[in-house]
Amino acid sequence: MDKNVDELEKWGFPLVELYRMALQFYKQNSGKALHLSYEDNLKLIAFKQQQTCGPFDPKTAPDLGVLDVIGKDRRMHWAALGDISREQAMEGFIDLLDSMCSAFRPYVEAVRKNRDETLKEELKRMEKEKLEKERKEREQQELLEEGYKEEMQRRQLQDALNKQTYQQFKTYAEKQFPGNPEQQAVLIHQLQQEHYHQYMQQLHMQNHNVIGESSATANNNNNSSTTEHKNPSQDALTADLAKLAIDEQQHQQQQHHLLDENQQLQQNHNSDDDDYVLIQPAKIWTRPDIEEFKAEVSAGDGDGVITIGHGDTVTVRVPTNMNGKSIFWEFATDNYDIGFGIYFEWSKPVSQEVTVHVSDSDDDDEFLDEDYLSTNEDLECGSLANERSNLANNTSSMKPPISIIVPIYRRECFNEVYVGSHSYPGEGVYLLKFDNSYSIWRSKTLYYRVYYER
């Protein structure tokens, strides 16, 4: 077949496609809707043989029987075509069929119309899918931004409350565990968590009462005006971030409940701000060179490629480096998204080695304290009184406090590389969590790289 035959067109179709349609029409309708003479059939068959085998060559043709009259007639018509090209043979077949059968041209037009309509429907479907995908991506991005904003506001409020009570809790912890900084840090963290939860519960009750009063007023005022609904907890958080002040009487009552029913500590308003560390938010961005990144990670020693099973969570523990000032991470996956978050464990690193730990969603991970890491409002797993009563008898099981740097959200890291950095808040261990616990069937292939910056 000639090189340019695929570029030839006839009746708005590629020549090859139109010839196949004509050949199919001839085979399906011959003797039915199509009644041709013996001579016309011989001509069509000659064009077909010319297109399939090229010009007739008597040297390579097999011998015919003495009584094979039809075979001789076919060869005679085939040889009569001479050296015409295969595309000419296809055009000859199409034109001859068109001249002999008036139904062939309408058949071709019907096929073209159906093809055009199908193409239009396909384009509409693709455009609709594209718009739907863009809408979902926008909604997901808005949810991620809203969730991150709320989490940052929650953290700022909790950090402000912790800063306000740190010196008092520290004084109490030093009395409970003199000479034991590790147990003091654990107790301080527990007291701060309890203080935060009590404050949020009281705030929630206040908002609930305000909503009830507003609803009763709205029911009494039977009018058609529309009131904009807002999240009262969000408004309250924003207001508290603006003033960050707690009533002195409520504050003293909370401290009395947390520390000791028979003790009342005196507030120290002149505490040094350096005793409390306010963790700065992480910087997160993306870049498009995902294939190059995965190739670079794969070409390494293999430690940067992990298969995370369905229902599993992988934690990469990265100790702070005495020569570094910040941590830097990059990661991507094949085909599917994965949950990602970062926490900071306030403990002295026992080594500088980066380790990887896999945990099932139903297991208790010995390296992660989920009581401390949960981002929900209801974080308590037991009474603080019971924990303090058992603290002295279970010193070996104490876990260091953990702060949330980046909450866990699902990232579409199969389209681009997710990159981020965070300045060291102090000495400790970063916990990079890659969460696949929400996936029932799919395992994920993770490519990651982490290092520190001076």
Side-chain angles (χ1 to χ4, degrees), residues 61-87:
D63 295 334
L64 296 175
V66 177
L67 300 179
D68 190 359
V69 178
I70 296 177
K72 292 178 181 180
D73 290 342
R74 287 183 177 179
R75 287 191 177 184
M76 181 181 65
H77 283 78
W78 183 9
L81 296 178
D83 295 331
I84 66 172
S85 63
R86 297 188 178 187
E87 59 267 23

Side-chain angles (χ1 to χ4, degrees), residues 196-209 246 250-251 253-254:
Y196 172 74
H197 299 322
Q198 287 188 355
Y199 176 79
M200 292 303 299
Q201 290 174 358
Q202 183 178 8
L203 186 64
H204 178 73
M205 292 299 299
Q206 292 176 352
N207 290 328
H208 180 73
N209 295 334
I246 301 177
Q250 294 177 347
H251 181 66
Q253 291 175 355
Q254 292 170 353

Side-chain angles (χ1 to χ4, degrees), residues 184-197:
Q184 291 175 12
V186 172
L187 181 56
I188 291 172
H189 180 78
Q190 292 174 343
L191 294 171
Q192 288 175 337
Q193 290 291 327
E194 180 74 14
H195 178 213
Y196 172 74
H197 299 322

Side-chain angles (χ1 to χ4, degrees), residues 337-364:
D337 63 359
I338 198 164
F340 174 72
I342 299 181
Y343 308 101
F344 189 79
E345 180 181 281
W346 297 87
S347 62
K348 183 177 181 62
V350 296
S351 71
Q352 293 297 311
E353 182 180 359
V354 177
T355 57
V356 178
H357 307 277
V358 181
S359 64
D360 185 81
S361 58
D362 297 330
D363 293 340
D364 291 329

Side-chain angles (χ1 to χ4, degrees), residues 78 122 418:
W78 183 9
E122 182 66 16
Y418 273 68

Side-chain angles (χ1 to χ4, degrees), residues 112-222:
R112 175 165 47 202
K113 183 179 180 181
N114 182 66
R115 183 190 64 175
D116 293 342
E117 291 178 353
T118 303
L119 181 60
K120 290 179 181 179
E121 291 296 327
E122 182 66 16
L123 291 175
K124 289 181 181 179
R125 185 187 64 81
M126 293 175 62
E127 182 66 19
K128 184 177 180 181
E129 289 181 353
K130 180 181 178 182
L131 294 175
E132 182 67 16
K133 181 179 180 182
E134 292 176 351
R135 183 187 65 81
K136 290 182 178 180
E137 289 177 351
R138 286 196 303 270
E139 290 179 354
Q140 186 174 14
Q141 184 65 27
E142 290 173 358
L143 289 175
L144 289 175
E145 292 176 355
E146 183 67 21
Y148 185 76
K149 181 180 178 181
E150 291 180 1
E151 176 61 21
M152 291 301 299
Q153 290 180 336
R154 186 198 69 78
R155 285 174 51 190
Q156 290 175 7
L157 176 59
Q158 187 172 10
D159 288 342
L161 293 174
N162 291 347
K163 185 176 181 180
Q164 189 179 46
T165 59
Y166 176 77
Q167 190 61 35
Q168 294 175 338
F169 290 160
K170 181 181 178 183
T171 302
Y172 177 75
E174 288 174 349
K175 292 181 179 180
Q176 296 295 319
F177 302 102
N180 195 331
E182 292 184 358
Q183 292 186 354
Q184 291 175 12
V186 172
L187 181 56
I188 291 172
H189 180 78
Q190 292 174 343
L191 294 171
Q192 288 175 337
Q193 290 291 327
E194 180 74 14
H195 178 213
Y196 172 74
H197 299 322
Q198 287 188 355
Y199 176 79
M200 292 303 299
Q201 290 174 358
Q202 183 178 8
L203 186 64
H204 178 73
M205 292 299 299
Q206 292 176 352
N207 290 328
H208 180 73
N209 295 334
V210 171
I211 293 174
E213 294 175 0
S214 300
S215 299
T217 304
N219 292 332
N220 293 331
N221 300 330
N222 186 13

Side-chain angles (χ1 to χ4, degrees), residues 248-308:
E248 182 67 23
Q249 183 178 359
Q250 294 177 347
H251 181 66
Q252 291 180 356
Q253 291 175 355
Q254 292 170 353
Q255 303 312 309
H256 179 75
H257 173 74
L258 291 172
L259 302 181
D260 196 330
E261 295 181 353
N262 299 322
Q263 285 186 335
Q264 182 67 44
L265 295 178
Q266 180 182 2
Q267 282 188 319
N268 183 2
H269 297 285
N270 299 322
S271 61
D272 189 356
D273 290 342
D274 294 336
D275 290 337
Y276 181 82
V277 178
L278 182 61
I279 299 179
Q280 298 298 322
K283 298 178 181 179
I284 300 177
W285 64 96
T286 60
R287 66 170 194 261
D289 58 335
I290 184 169
E291 296 302 329
E292 293 84 349
F293 170 74
K294 291 194 291 187
E296 291 177 3
V297 175
S298 300
D301 54 11
D303 293 340
V305 182
I306 302 175
T307 299
I308 304 177

